[in-house]
Short mmCIF file of all heavy atoms in Angstrom, two decimals:
data_model
loop_
_atom_site.label_atom_id
_atom_site.label_comp_id
_atom_site.label_asym_id
_atom_site.label_seq_id
_atom_site.Cartn_x
_atom_site.Cartn_y
_atom_site.Cartn_z
N MET A 1 6.62 -7.19 10.32
CA MET A 1 7.69 -7.37 9.32
C MET A 1 7.78 -6.15 8.46
O MET A 1 8.85 -5.92 7.90
CB MET A 1 7.26 -8.60 8.54
CG MET A 1 8.34 -8.99 7.46
SD MET A 1 8.15 -10.44 6.47
CE MET A 1 6.68 -11.23 7.00
N ALA A 2 6.73 -5.39 8.30
CA ALA A 2 6.73 -4.24 7.34
C ALA A 2 7.78 -3.24 7.70
O ALA A 2 8.35 -2.65 6.77
CB ALA A 2 5.33 -3.58 7.41
N LYS A 3 8.10 -3.00 8.98
CA LYS A 3 9.10 -1.97 9.26
C LYS A 3 10.53 -2.47 9.12
O LYS A 3 11.45 -1.69 9.17
CB LYS A 3 8.84 -1.35 10.66
CG LYS A 3 9.00 -2.35 11.78
CD LYS A 3 8.65 -1.60 13.06
CE LYS A 3 8.37 -2.51 14.17
NZ LYS A 3 8.10 -1.84 15.42
N TYR A 4 10.69 -3.71 8.88
CA TYR A 4 12.04 -4.29 8.75
C TYR A 4 12.42 -4.54 7.32
O TYR A 4 13.59 -4.69 7.03
CB TYR A 4 12.17 -5.58 9.56
CG TYR A 4 11.98 -5.37 11.08
CD1 TYR A 4 10.80 -5.78 11.63
CD2 TYR A 4 12.90 -4.66 11.82
CE1 TYR A 4 10.54 -5.58 13.00
CE2 TYR A 4 12.67 -4.42 13.12
CZ TYR A 4 11.52 -4.90 13.74
OH TYR A 4 11.25 -4.64 15.03
N MET A 5 11.41 -4.75 6.43
CA MET A 5 11.69 -5.15 5.11
C MET A 5 10.89 -4.07 4.16
O MET A 5 9.80 -3.79 4.44
CB MET A 5 11.10 -6.50 4.75
CG MET A 5 11.91 -7.58 5.48
SD MET A 5 11.15 -9.22 5.16
CE MET A 5 11.02 -9.32 3.46
N SER A 6 11.61 -3.74 3.07
CA SER A 6 10.94 -2.82 2.10
C SER A 6 9.87 -3.60 1.39
O SER A 6 9.96 -4.84 1.19
CB SER A 6 11.93 -2.22 1.15
OG SER A 6 12.48 -3.21 0.27
N ASP A 7 8.94 -2.86 0.81
CA ASP A 7 7.95 -3.56 -0.06
C ASP A 7 8.58 -4.22 -1.25
O ASP A 7 8.15 -5.29 -1.68
CB ASP A 7 6.85 -2.50 -0.48
CG ASP A 7 5.94 -2.11 0.64
OD1 ASP A 7 5.83 -2.92 1.63
OD2 ASP A 7 5.32 -1.07 0.55
N ALA A 8 9.56 -3.54 -1.81
CA ALA A 8 10.31 -4.09 -2.98
C ALA A 8 10.99 -5.46 -2.67
O ALA A 8 10.87 -6.39 -3.42
CB ALA A 8 11.37 -3.08 -3.46
N LEU A 9 11.54 -5.54 -1.46
CA LEU A 9 12.19 -6.78 -1.08
C LEU A 9 11.13 -7.90 -0.78
O LEU A 9 11.31 -8.98 -1.21
CB LEU A 9 13.04 -6.62 0.18
CG LEU A 9 13.67 -7.90 0.74
CD1 LEU A 9 14.57 -8.55 -0.30
CD2 LEU A 9 14.46 -7.58 1.98
N LYS A 10 10.03 -7.51 -0.23
CA LYS A 10 9.00 -8.52 0.05
C LYS A 10 8.45 -8.99 -1.33
O LYS A 10 8.18 -10.22 -1.47
CB LYS A 10 7.79 -7.88 0.86
CG LYS A 10 8.25 -7.73 2.31
CD LYS A 10 7.07 -7.26 3.16
CE LYS A 10 6.83 -5.83 3.04
NZ LYS A 10 5.79 -5.34 3.99
N TYR A 11 8.27 -8.09 -2.28
CA TYR A 11 7.76 -8.53 -3.54
C TYR A 11 8.79 -9.43 -4.27
O TYR A 11 8.43 -10.43 -4.97
CB TYR A 11 7.35 -7.32 -4.48
CG TYR A 11 6.65 -7.71 -5.70
CD1 TYR A 11 5.33 -8.12 -5.68
CD2 TYR A 11 7.36 -7.71 -6.89
CE1 TYR A 11 4.65 -8.55 -6.83
CE2 TYR A 11 6.65 -8.06 -8.12
CZ TYR A 11 5.33 -8.48 -8.03
OH TYR A 11 4.72 -8.87 -9.18
N GLU A 12 10.05 -9.04 -4.15
CA GLU A 12 11.16 -9.84 -4.78
C GLU A 12 11.11 -11.29 -4.19
O GLU A 12 11.24 -12.29 -4.93
CB GLU A 12 12.48 -9.16 -4.55
CG GLU A 12 13.66 -9.97 -5.11
CD GLU A 12 14.96 -9.23 -4.81
OE1 GLU A 12 15.00 -8.01 -4.60
OE2 GLU A 12 15.99 -9.98 -4.66
N LEU A 13 10.92 -11.38 -2.89
CA LEU A 13 10.93 -12.69 -2.24
C LEU A 13 9.72 -13.48 -2.71
O LEU A 13 9.77 -14.69 -3.01
CB LEU A 13 10.89 -12.54 -0.75
CG LEU A 13 12.20 -11.97 -0.05
CD1 LEU A 13 11.92 -11.82 1.42
CD2 LEU A 13 13.38 -12.89 -0.30
N ALA A 14 8.55 -12.80 -2.79
CA ALA A 14 7.35 -13.43 -3.30
C ALA A 14 7.50 -13.95 -4.77
O ALA A 14 7.04 -15.02 -5.09
CB ALA A 14 6.17 -12.47 -3.11
N ARG A 15 8.17 -13.11 -5.55
CA ARG A 15 8.45 -13.54 -6.95
C ARG A 15 9.32 -14.75 -7.00
O ARG A 15 9.11 -15.67 -7.76
CB ARG A 15 9.04 -12.34 -7.67
CG ARG A 15 8.37 -11.93 -8.92
CD ARG A 15 9.13 -10.90 -9.76
NE ARG A 15 10.47 -10.59 -9.39
CZ ARG A 15 10.89 -9.47 -9.09
NH1 ARG A 15 10.16 -8.38 -8.99
NH2 ARG A 15 12.18 -9.24 -8.71
N GLU A 16 10.33 -14.80 -6.16
CA GLU A 16 11.26 -15.88 -6.08
C GLU A 16 10.56 -17.17 -5.68
O GLU A 16 10.89 -18.23 -6.17
CB GLU A 16 12.37 -15.59 -5.09
CG GLU A 16 13.52 -16.50 -5.06
CD GLU A 16 14.67 -16.10 -4.18
OE1 GLU A 16 14.99 -14.96 -4.21
OE2 GLU A 16 15.16 -16.98 -3.45
N MET A 17 9.52 -16.99 -4.79
CA MET A 17 8.77 -18.22 -4.40
C MET A 17 7.67 -18.57 -5.35
O MET A 17 7.06 -19.61 -5.23
CB MET A 17 8.10 -17.84 -3.02
CG MET A 17 8.98 -17.72 -1.84
SD MET A 17 8.13 -17.27 -0.36
CE MET A 17 6.79 -18.36 -0.25
N GLY A 18 7.39 -17.71 -6.32
CA GLY A 18 6.36 -18.06 -7.38
C GLY A 18 4.98 -17.67 -6.87
O GLY A 18 4.04 -18.17 -7.41
N VAL A 19 4.81 -16.82 -5.94
CA VAL A 19 3.51 -16.43 -5.38
C VAL A 19 3.19 -14.96 -5.57
O VAL A 19 2.16 -14.47 -5.11
CB VAL A 19 3.31 -16.83 -3.92
CG1 VAL A 19 3.43 -18.28 -3.80
CG2 VAL A 19 4.31 -16.09 -3.05
N ALA A 20 4.02 -14.21 -6.34
CA ALA A 20 3.79 -12.77 -6.47
C ALA A 20 2.49 -12.41 -7.11
O ALA A 20 1.92 -11.40 -6.84
CB ALA A 20 5.00 -12.21 -7.26
N ASP A 21 1.99 -13.34 -8.00
CA ASP A 21 0.79 -13.01 -8.73
C ASP A 21 -0.46 -13.09 -7.75
O ASP A 21 -1.52 -12.58 -8.10
CB ASP A 21 0.55 -14.00 -9.83
CG ASP A 21 0.48 -15.45 -9.40
OD1 ASP A 21 1.26 -15.78 -8.45
OD2 ASP A 21 -0.26 -16.29 -9.96
N ARG A 22 -0.30 -13.66 -6.56
CA ARG A 22 -1.43 -13.69 -5.61
C ARG A 22 -1.42 -12.67 -4.57
O ARG A 22 -2.25 -12.63 -3.67
CB ARG A 22 -1.43 -15.10 -5.00
CG ARG A 22 -1.75 -16.18 -6.00
CD ARG A 22 -2.06 -17.46 -5.44
NE ARG A 22 -1.48 -17.70 -4.14
CZ ARG A 22 -0.90 -18.84 -3.79
NH1 ARG A 22 -0.76 -19.80 -4.61
NH2 ARG A 22 -0.36 -18.95 -2.64
N ILE A 23 -0.40 -11.76 -4.64
CA ILE A 23 -0.36 -10.65 -3.67
C ILE A 23 -1.00 -9.37 -4.22
O ILE A 23 -0.80 -8.98 -5.32
CB ILE A 23 1.13 -10.35 -3.36
CG1 ILE A 23 1.78 -11.59 -2.66
CG2 ILE A 23 1.30 -9.12 -2.45
CD1 ILE A 23 3.18 -11.43 -2.42
N GLN A 24 -1.89 -8.83 -3.46
CA GLN A 24 -2.62 -7.66 -3.83
C GLN A 24 -2.10 -6.46 -2.95
O GLN A 24 -2.50 -6.31 -1.82
CB GLN A 24 -4.14 -7.83 -3.58
CG GLN A 24 -4.73 -9.01 -4.21
CD GLN A 24 -4.79 -8.93 -5.72
OE1 GLN A 24 -5.01 -7.84 -6.28
NE2 GLN A 24 -4.51 -10.00 -6.37
N GLY A 25 -1.27 -5.64 -3.56
CA GLY A 25 -0.61 -4.57 -2.74
C GLY A 25 0.16 -5.13 -1.57
O GLY A 25 1.13 -5.78 -1.74
N ASN A 26 -0.36 -4.71 -0.39
CA ASN A 26 0.30 -5.22 0.85
C ASN A 26 -0.49 -6.32 1.49
O ASN A 26 -0.26 -6.67 2.64
CB ASN A 26 0.46 -4.07 1.88
CG ASN A 26 1.56 -3.17 1.47
OD1 ASN A 26 2.57 -3.56 0.86
ND2 ASN A 26 1.47 -1.93 1.82
N ASP A 27 -1.43 -6.95 0.70
CA ASP A 27 -2.29 -7.96 1.25
C ASP A 27 -1.73 -9.31 0.95
O ASP A 27 -1.70 -9.72 -0.26
CB ASP A 27 -3.68 -7.82 0.68
CG ASP A 27 -4.69 -8.85 1.24
OD1 ASP A 27 -4.35 -9.52 2.22
OD2 ASP A 27 -5.73 -9.03 0.67
N TYR A 28 -1.30 -10.00 1.91
CA TYR A 28 -0.77 -11.37 1.72
C TYR A 28 -1.74 -12.46 2.10
O TYR A 28 -1.38 -13.59 2.35
CB TYR A 28 0.53 -11.55 2.49
CG TYR A 28 1.68 -10.74 1.90
CD1 TYR A 28 1.73 -9.35 2.12
CD2 TYR A 28 2.73 -11.34 1.19
CE1 TYR A 28 2.80 -8.59 1.55
CE2 TYR A 28 3.76 -10.61 0.58
CZ TYR A 28 3.72 -9.23 0.85
OH TYR A 28 4.77 -8.53 0.27
N GLY A 29 -2.98 -12.05 2.25
CA GLY A 29 -4.07 -12.99 2.69
C GLY A 29 -4.37 -14.12 1.82
O GLY A 29 -4.96 -15.16 2.28
N ASN A 30 -4.00 -14.10 0.56
CA ASN A 30 -4.21 -15.21 -0.41
C ASN A 30 -3.15 -16.27 -0.33
O ASN A 30 -3.21 -17.24 -1.01
CB ASN A 30 -4.26 -14.69 -1.80
CG ASN A 30 -5.54 -13.79 -2.04
OD1 ASN A 30 -6.57 -14.04 -1.43
ND2 ASN A 30 -5.44 -12.85 -2.90
N LEU A 31 -2.17 -16.09 0.52
CA LEU A 31 -1.11 -17.07 0.71
C LEU A 31 -1.52 -18.04 1.83
O LEU A 31 -2.19 -17.69 2.83
CB LEU A 31 0.25 -16.45 1.10
CG LEU A 31 0.82 -15.46 0.11
CD1 LEU A 31 2.16 -14.96 0.59
CD2 LEU A 31 0.92 -16.03 -1.30
N THR A 32 -1.09 -19.27 1.71
CA THR A 32 -1.40 -20.27 2.71
C THR A 32 -0.45 -20.04 3.91
O THR A 32 0.58 -19.39 3.80
CB THR A 32 -1.22 -21.71 2.19
OG1 THR A 32 0.21 -21.91 1.86
CG2 THR A 32 -2.06 -21.99 0.94
N SER A 33 -0.76 -20.68 4.98
CA SER A 33 0.14 -20.61 6.15
C SER A 33 1.51 -21.12 5.84
O SER A 33 2.51 -20.57 6.28
CB SER A 33 -0.47 -21.36 7.35
OG SER A 33 -1.67 -20.81 7.72
N ARG A 34 1.55 -22.20 5.14
CA ARG A 34 2.83 -22.80 4.70
C ARG A 34 3.64 -21.85 3.88
O ARG A 34 4.85 -21.65 4.10
CB ARG A 34 2.67 -24.08 3.98
CG ARG A 34 3.91 -24.75 3.56
CD ARG A 34 3.65 -26.13 2.90
NE ARG A 34 3.00 -26.93 3.84
CZ ARG A 34 3.41 -28.19 4.19
NH1 ARG A 34 4.41 -28.61 3.66
NH2 ARG A 34 2.77 -28.85 5.08
N GLU A 35 2.95 -21.17 2.92
CA GLU A 35 3.71 -20.21 2.10
C GLU A 35 4.20 -19.10 2.91
O GLU A 35 5.29 -18.51 2.64
CB GLU A 35 2.75 -19.74 1.01
CG GLU A 35 2.49 -20.77 -0.14
CD GLU A 35 1.34 -20.45 -1.03
OE1 GLU A 35 0.48 -19.69 -0.65
OE2 GLU A 35 1.44 -20.99 -2.19
N CYS A 36 3.37 -18.56 3.81
CA CYS A 36 3.87 -17.49 4.72
C CYS A 36 5.05 -17.91 5.51
O CYS A 36 6.00 -17.11 5.71
CB CYS A 36 2.68 -16.98 5.61
SG CYS A 36 1.43 -16.10 4.76
N GLY A 37 5.03 -19.10 6.03
CA GLY A 37 6.15 -19.63 6.77
C GLY A 37 7.45 -19.70 5.89
O GLY A 37 8.52 -19.33 6.31
N ASN A 38 7.25 -20.17 4.64
CA ASN A 38 8.36 -20.30 3.78
C ASN A 38 8.88 -18.87 3.38
O ASN A 38 10.07 -18.65 3.20
CB ASN A 38 7.96 -21.03 2.49
CG ASN A 38 7.76 -22.51 2.75
OD1 ASN A 38 8.29 -23.07 3.65
ND2 ASN A 38 6.98 -23.14 1.88
N PHE A 39 7.91 -17.90 3.33
CA PHE A 39 8.36 -16.52 3.08
C PHE A 39 9.26 -15.98 4.16
O PHE A 39 10.25 -15.39 3.94
CB PHE A 39 7.04 -15.67 2.91
CG PHE A 39 7.27 -14.27 2.56
CD1 PHE A 39 7.34 -13.89 1.24
CD2 PHE A 39 7.45 -13.29 3.51
CE1 PHE A 39 7.52 -12.53 0.88
CE2 PHE A 39 7.65 -11.98 3.14
CZ PHE A 39 7.72 -11.60 1.82
N VAL A 40 8.85 -16.23 5.42
CA VAL A 40 9.63 -15.76 6.56
C VAL A 40 10.99 -16.48 6.59
O VAL A 40 11.98 -15.83 6.76
CB VAL A 40 8.86 -15.99 7.89
CG1 VAL A 40 9.72 -15.73 9.10
CG2 VAL A 40 7.58 -15.13 7.88
N LYS A 41 10.94 -17.77 6.32
CA LYS A 41 12.22 -18.56 6.27
C LYS A 41 13.18 -17.96 5.22
O LYS A 41 14.34 -17.75 5.47
CB LYS A 41 11.88 -20.00 5.99
CG LYS A 41 13.08 -20.92 5.94
CD LYS A 41 12.66 -22.30 5.67
CE LYS A 41 13.79 -23.29 5.57
NZ LYS A 41 13.38 -24.67 5.28
N LEU A 42 12.69 -17.67 4.04
CA LEU A 42 13.43 -17.08 3.00
C LEU A 42 13.98 -15.72 3.34
O LEU A 42 15.16 -15.41 3.12
CB LEU A 42 12.68 -17.00 1.72
CG LEU A 42 13.37 -16.57 0.41
CD1 LEU A 42 14.56 -17.46 0.15
CD2 LEU A 42 12.40 -16.58 -0.73
N ALA A 43 13.15 -14.96 4.02
CA ALA A 43 13.58 -13.57 4.48
C ALA A 43 14.68 -13.68 5.49
O ALA A 43 15.67 -12.94 5.50
CB ALA A 43 12.37 -12.83 5.03
N ILE A 44 14.64 -14.66 6.45
CA ILE A 44 15.65 -14.82 7.43
C ILE A 44 16.93 -15.30 6.79
O ILE A 44 18.02 -14.81 7.17
CB ILE A 44 15.19 -15.85 8.49
CG1 ILE A 44 14.05 -15.25 9.31
CG2 ILE A 44 16.27 -16.31 9.37
CD1 ILE A 44 13.35 -16.19 10.25
N GLN A 45 16.84 -16.23 5.81
CA GLN A 45 18.10 -16.69 5.11
C GLN A 45 18.76 -15.47 4.40
O GLN A 45 19.96 -15.35 4.49
CB GLN A 45 17.71 -17.75 4.15
CG GLN A 45 17.32 -19.04 4.72
CD GLN A 45 16.77 -20.09 3.75
OE1 GLN A 45 16.42 -19.72 2.56
NE2 GLN A 45 16.67 -21.29 4.10
N ARG A 46 17.99 -14.61 3.74
CA ARG A 46 18.55 -13.44 3.16
C ARG A 46 19.23 -12.57 4.09
O ARG A 46 20.33 -12.06 3.86
CB ARG A 46 17.43 -12.65 2.41
CG ARG A 46 16.97 -13.24 1.16
CD ARG A 46 17.89 -12.72 -0.03
NE ARG A 46 17.38 -13.19 -1.24
CZ ARG A 46 16.73 -12.38 -2.09
NH1 ARG A 46 16.50 -11.13 -1.80
NH2 ARG A 46 16.28 -12.87 -3.14
N ALA A 47 18.57 -12.30 5.24
CA ALA A 47 19.18 -11.45 6.28
C ALA A 47 20.50 -12.03 6.83
O ALA A 47 21.43 -11.30 7.00
CB ALA A 47 18.15 -11.26 7.43
N GLU A 48 20.50 -13.35 7.08
CA GLU A 48 21.68 -14.00 7.51
C GLU A 48 22.81 -13.84 6.55
O GLU A 48 23.98 -13.69 6.89
CB GLU A 48 21.38 -15.45 7.88
CG GLU A 48 20.57 -15.64 9.16
CD GLU A 48 20.18 -17.09 9.42
OE1 GLU A 48 20.21 -17.91 8.42
OE2 GLU A 48 19.84 -17.33 10.57
N ARG A 49 22.53 -14.11 5.27
CA ARG A 49 23.57 -13.98 4.26
C ARG A 49 24.14 -12.54 4.13
O ARG A 49 25.33 -12.41 3.92
CB ARG A 49 23.04 -14.40 2.87
CG ARG A 49 23.05 -15.87 2.65
CD ARG A 49 22.68 -16.21 1.25
NE ARG A 49 21.30 -16.16 1.18
CZ ARG A 49 20.48 -16.29 0.10
NH1 ARG A 49 21.13 -16.45 -1.04
NH2 ARG A 49 19.25 -16.25 0.18
N SER A 50 23.28 -11.58 4.36
CA SER A 50 23.74 -10.21 4.30
C SER A 50 24.64 -9.82 5.45
O SER A 50 25.37 -8.81 5.43
CB SER A 50 22.56 -9.27 4.14
OG SER A 50 21.92 -9.15 5.38
N MET A 51 24.60 -10.61 6.52
CA MET A 51 25.45 -10.29 7.70
C MET A 51 26.78 -10.89 7.59
O MET A 51 27.66 -10.62 8.37
CB MET A 51 24.75 -10.75 8.99
CG MET A 51 23.52 -9.94 9.37
SD MET A 51 22.92 -10.29 11.00
CE MET A 51 22.11 -11.93 10.77
N LEU A 52 27.01 -11.74 6.63
CA LEU A 52 28.31 -12.47 6.49
C LEU A 52 29.34 -11.63 5.82
O LEU A 52 29.25 -10.73 5.14
CB LEU A 52 28.13 -13.77 5.70
CG LEU A 52 27.30 -14.84 6.45
CD1 LEU A 52 27.11 -16.05 5.53
CD2 LEU A 52 27.91 -15.24 7.78
#
């Protein structure tokens, strides 16, 4: 995912989800599997909206 999304966008999505405080740099290891899935889902929704 790193080569497709900027760090700024990933942090923005994490902030929107309310989990930005648990991210250490590029380490998303403190997120649950469900949160990671929701993160990907949100990223896909953003990408789809940008293509319209």
Side-chain angles (χ1 to χ4, degrees):
M1 183 177 356
K3 61 180 165 180
Y4 300 107
M5 294 175 52
S6 70
D7 288 338
L9 177 57
K10 288 188 279 188
Y11 189 74
E12 180 183 330
L13 294 174
R15 234 186 13 238
E16 189 174 317
M17 290 176 50
V19 298
D21 60 323
R22 295 195 330 228
I23 295 173
Q24 307 291 324
N26 285 330
D27 181 16
Y28 289 75
N30 291 328
L31 300 182
T32 65
S33 296
R34 181 177 298 235
E35 289 168 332
C36 287
N38 288 338
F39 185 89
V40 171
K41 182 178 177 180
L42 186 57
I44 291 170
Q45 288 173 346
R46 283 274 184 102
E48 287 175 339
R49 276 188 279 176
S50 72
M51 289 191 286
L52 296 176

